[in-house]
Amino acid sequence: MKTNDTHLLGSLVCLTDQHVAGINTLELVDGQQRITSLTILLKVVQERFKHLKESDIVKEIESYLICKGIDRKLRTKVLLGDLDNPDYIKLMKNEERDLIKNQNLIYAYDYFSDRLSDYSNDKLNEFYFKLLNNVKVIRLDVDQAKDAYKLFETINNRGLRLSPTDIIKNFLLGHASTFSEETLQKVRDNWKHIIINLDGIDTDDFFRQYMSSILKRKVTKSKLIDQFKRHYLNKVEDADKLPEYQLYSDIEIENDDDEIKSELSDSNDNLQVDFEQDQNGNSKLKKISITIFSQLLKEASIIYSKMLNRKFINGKINQHLFNLQRIKSFPSYILLLDIFQRKLKENIIIGLLKQIEVFMLRRHICEYRTGELDDIFSNLVKISNENITEEIRKQLSKHLPSDYDFEGKFLLHSYKGNANRAKYVLEMLEYDLIDDKGEYVLNTGNEVHLEHVIPQTINTKKSKRDYGNWEKYLGAGSLDMHKDYIHRIGNLTLLAQKLNIVASNNPYKAKCKEYKKSNIKITLSIADQFHEFRFTEIEKRSKDLAKIAHNIWQLQ
């Protein structure tokens, strides 16, 4: 841009506090990412000037980034949240880069470094001058939290759309700010823990699946904010004083007192819940406080994190959750989020996880529509604890592919792009083959690879030179048939990493030597059963495995 051009970065909304001796802090209600990015940019500019030996400018930039308190200790002027601040400090101090978890910070740093890497002294000086003098922000200082959150909402109703999580945060904290400072602090603390609990997890997914679980119906991302606010305004004390309440008061809101009762009683025994009698003498849940509402969100975030990170004490539960992840069973988390908050015995939970494994694997193999899964799992939340295993089995059976369809599709199914699902299927086939009694756990992580008997690459000059002519071995028309057969279950097995490296793309007889060294029975059986291995052998093996699979993946 020209020297007299300016660039507007938008507005910052700052929540101020009383002026005190020492360092005075501002809470950024809006503009956190912009300020963080600017400080990282300044850090990169500083390092570039240091490389050019411009010590005066280096010290000048230091004064923008660093300050001293009464204790005379140096600290960064920007303080991020509890989750990201340790990473931010490491980045700004050029320390322990390998230990930084927040990759967005590293990405920003590397991006700016790359853009400025070839700047000469004059060009860098020009850029720095424009950054200081031509880049503008509008700073709005507000001394009342309720006004700050309202201003944030007003500003962000225009321009770039915020994520649902950002809008929910502002809505929740904005209402909390209308209560006492103590209430606001409790809700802030609960929100902080929600974000920490969901570190590395898509928070929008959490809120969408949480609302689907609470409301017992599918909630799409486009409707998430509307459904969250409607639920909140109907359930939280003094929510009728919010401007949004009038908007929703004219809309019939589904009565979900039973869901809230269950949520409160099952998730945390320490929460105090009161009930009252309606005009007909029925028990009715009183509206809950905003602190209890935020506490429920926090408790749900803990469960959700345990589910996705497989952090339950019971190892079998974690293994079945891992199986679901490999199958790709994300919609089932709507039901599981509810199940794990109920007071169910672990053997019942494991039984339910097994049922979902069967259900999801069969549907994926038969290529049933995934769009209806949110509806299926949100409806299952309605089932009570009494005889829950049998009731869920009955409901899942209504949407389950038949044995005939499953067996037919199983032998033709392509696992291309789904190596983890293939590993899961082969594991289960292995356990069945050895009649496992629970003593044996197959490690199909980095130690055990997914092996393609007929290699994935057969027609390159390198593969033919280094490993042999598979194209000639497979016969006429092999290239056309290859892409249809290569990812079928009959061509797949499991093989230890060191054996797989040797087997590689070698001719079949050379591969068999490595297969015979394996301890995995499903792999040994290939070498024992097949003296040659072409497309007809893939068909035969696929049919044999399909007959076994139809018995393994049964709802029980």
Side-chain angles (χ1 to χ4, degrees), residues 85-150:
N85 200 59
D87 286 343
Y88 178 73
I89 296 299
K90 291 185 182 75
L91 184 75
M92 299 304 280
K93 290 185 175 181
N94 295 321
E95 295 177 353
E96 302 174 298
R97 181 183 168 113
D98 292 343
L99 298 179
I100 295 176
K101 296 179 181 179
N102 190 329
Q103 292 299 304
N104 287 329
L105 295 174
I106 293 177
Y107 173 80
Y109 181 90
D110 289 345
Y111 174 80
F112 293 137
S113 295
D114 182 62
R115 292 295 299 267
L116 301 179
S117 61
D118 60 349
Y119 274 33
S120 64
N121 197 317
D122 289 342
K123 190 173 182 180
L124 188 65
N125 267 299
E126 180 184 358
F127 176 83
Y128 178 59
F129 175 86
K130 291 177 180 179
L131 183 63
L132 290 189
N133 298 282
N134 295 35
V135 175
K136 308 293 184 182
V137 294
I138 300 171
R139 173 175 152 180
L140 303 171
D141 286 356
V142 184
D143 61 2
Q144 294 291 323
K146 59 184 179 65
D147 296 328
Y149 292 115
K150 186 61 183 176

Side-chain angles (χ1 to χ4, degrees), residues 127-225:
F127 176 83
Y128 178 59
F129 175 86
K130 291 177 180 179
L131 183 63
L132 290 189
N133 298 282
N134 295 35
V135 175
K136 308 293 184 182
V137 294
I138 300 171
R139 173 175 152 180
L140 303 171
D141 286 356
V142 184
D143 61 2
Q144 294 291 323
K146 59 184 179 65
D147 296 328
Y149 292 115
K150 186 61 183 176
L151 187 57
F152 170 89
E153 183 177 1
T154 301
I155 291 171
N156 286 287
N157 276 336
R158 303 169 178 82
L160 184 65
R161 184 173 177 82
L162 295 174
S163 72
T165 300
D166 289 330
I167 296 172
I168 289 171
K169 173 189 175 183
N170 181 69
F171 178 78
L172 194 62
L173 296 183
H175 189 208
S177 67
T178 65
F179 295 95
S180 65
E181 181 62 33
E182 180 184 4
T183 297
L184 176 58
Q185 190 55 48
K186 286 180 180 179
V187 176
R188 271 180 177 162
D189 189 62
N190 284 334
W191 183 266
K192 178 186 74 174
H193 284 95
I194 289 169
I195 299 305
I196 291 174
N197 294 336
L198 299 177
D199 182 28
I201 297 171
D202 189 318
T203 53
D204 289 350
D205 283 340
F206 162 72
F207 282 109
R208 187 185 64 80
Q209 293 197 310
Y210 174 78
M211 289 309 303
S212 295
S213 180
I214 290 297
L215 299 178
K216 298 175 174 53
R217 60 176 180 268
K218 178 179 178 177
V219 175
T220 63
K221 191 170 182 179
S222 64
K223 297 291 185 182
L224 173 56
I225 299 303

Side-chain angles (χ1 to χ4, degrees), residues 423 443-449 495-500 520:
K423 282 186 174 184
N443 176 18
T444 56
N446 294 327
E447 300 300 320
V448 178
H449 289 184
L495 192 62
Q497 180 185 35
K498 63 180 181 180
L499 297 179
N500 192 40
I520 301 173

Side-chain angles (χ1 to χ4, degrees), residues 321-436:
L321 288 170
F322 182 49
N323 292 344
L324 289 174
Q325 288 178 350
R326 293 188 292 175
I327 294 169
K328 293 187 178 178
S329 305
F330 185 69
S332 67
Y333 293 167
I334 293 171
L335 173 63
L336 295 179
L337 184 55
D338 175 77
I339 291 298
F340 279 111
Q341 292 183 88
R342 301 193 192 192
K343 297 174 181 176
L344 296 173
K345 293 181 179 179
E346 289 184 336
N347 65 312
I348 293 178
I349 293 176
I350 290 171
L352 294 174
L353 290 170
K354 289 179 178 178
Q355 287 189 5
I356 297 172
E357 278 182 40
V358 171
F359 178 76
M360 291 300 297
L361 192 278
R362 279 201 173 214
R363 286 183 64 96
H364 279 312
I365 294 296
C366 293
E367 298 180 344
Y368 275 29
R369 288 178 56 214
T370 58
E372 60 189 14
L373 289 171
D374 278 5
D375 287 312
I376 292 171
F377 284 111
S378 58
N379 278 321
L380 290 177
V381 179
K382 298 175 183 178
I383 296 174
S384 65
N385 287 358
E386 185 177 356
N387 205 19
I388 187 173
T389 303
E390 178 60 19
E391 289 302 315
I392 286 184
R393 187 193 68 79
K394 287 180 181 178
Q395 294 302 316
L396 290 178
S397 296
K398 296 177 181 179
H399 308 279
L400 190 73
S402 68
D403 289 347
Y404 177 81
D405 286 342
F406 178 60
E407 188 172 333
K409 291 292 181 63
F410 187 87
L411 61 91
L412 298 174
H413 183 72
S414 172
Y415 290 90
K416 184 177 181 180
N418 286 302
N420 287 330
R421 186 186 297 164
K423 282 186 174 184
Y424 161 77
V425 169
L426 290 165
E427 271 186 38
M428 298 302 111
L429 291 167
E430 170 74 3
Y431 293 149
D432 181 78
L433 189 62
I434 66 174
D435 192 22
D436 180 50

